[in-house]
């Protein structure tokens, strides 16, 4: 099964294509404030638009979506590690017993 690249419309195998989700607000930041002032509602969350971008390997490298890897590392199919900050709950400091 083939898909078409979103950039150059080249036919690319579906499993080989580089797929990314692009999430955007329906309204740009400049117009968001104007809508908030003109709106009847006090708080309104603007819906988001989700685009699924599918690129061939050549366009993904050219647009810097993925990087070039060495011939040995190209066989590695594992996803790259994600560097998410884990927020730990603050722990209460141990109470110091006062000896009188």
């Amino acid at each position: 099964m083939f898909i078409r690249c979103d950039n150059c419309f080249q036919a690319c195998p579906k499993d080989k294509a580089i797929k990314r989700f692009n999430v955007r607000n329906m309204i740009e930041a400049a117009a968001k404030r104007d809508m908030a002032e003109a709106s009847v509602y006090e708080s309104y969350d603007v819906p988001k638009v989700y685009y699924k971008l599918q690129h061939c390997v050549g366009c993904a490298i050219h647009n810097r979506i993925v990087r070039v890897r060495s011939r040995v590392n190209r066989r590695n199919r594992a996803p790259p590690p994600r560097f998410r900050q884990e927020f730990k709950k603050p722990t209460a400091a141990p109470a110091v017993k006062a000896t009188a």
Side-chain angles (χ1 to χ4, degrees):
M1 180 126 218
F2 288 91
I3 59 107
R4 291 286 177 174
C5 173
D6 286 339
N7 193 30
C8 67
F9 298 102
Q10 177 183 354
C12 179
K14 189 174 181 179
D15 62 336
K16 192 175 182 181
I18 287 89
K19 298 171 270 300
R20 296 287 187 265
F21 268 105
N22 193 354
V23 182
R24 292 185 176 187
N25 285 328
M26 279 187 150
I27 301 165
E28 59 189 30
K32 194 172 183 179
R33 192 179 118 238
D34 295 337
M35 277 195 58
E37 291 174 356
S39 178
V40 177
Y41 304 106
E42 290 182 13
S43 65
Y44 176 70
D45 292 334
V46 178
K48 297 183 183 294
V49 179
Y50 296 88
Y51 297 109
K52 184 173 185 181
L53 301 174
Q54 297 176 332
H55 295 283
C56 64
V57 176
C59 288
I61 291 171
H62 182 74
N63 292 331
R64 298 180 181 151
I65 297 170
V66 293
R67 293 184 179 214
V68 179
R69 297 189 292 177
S70 67
R71 187 170 284 178
V72 175
N73 288 338
R74 284 182 206 159
R75 293 181 183 268
N76 181 9
R77 302 212 21 149
R82 295 192 179 191
F83 299 105
R84 291 189 177 178
Q85 295 178 356
E86 294 184 19
F87 295 105
K88 296 181 180 179
K89 293 180 181 178
T91 56
V96 178
K97 295 182 180 179
T99 56

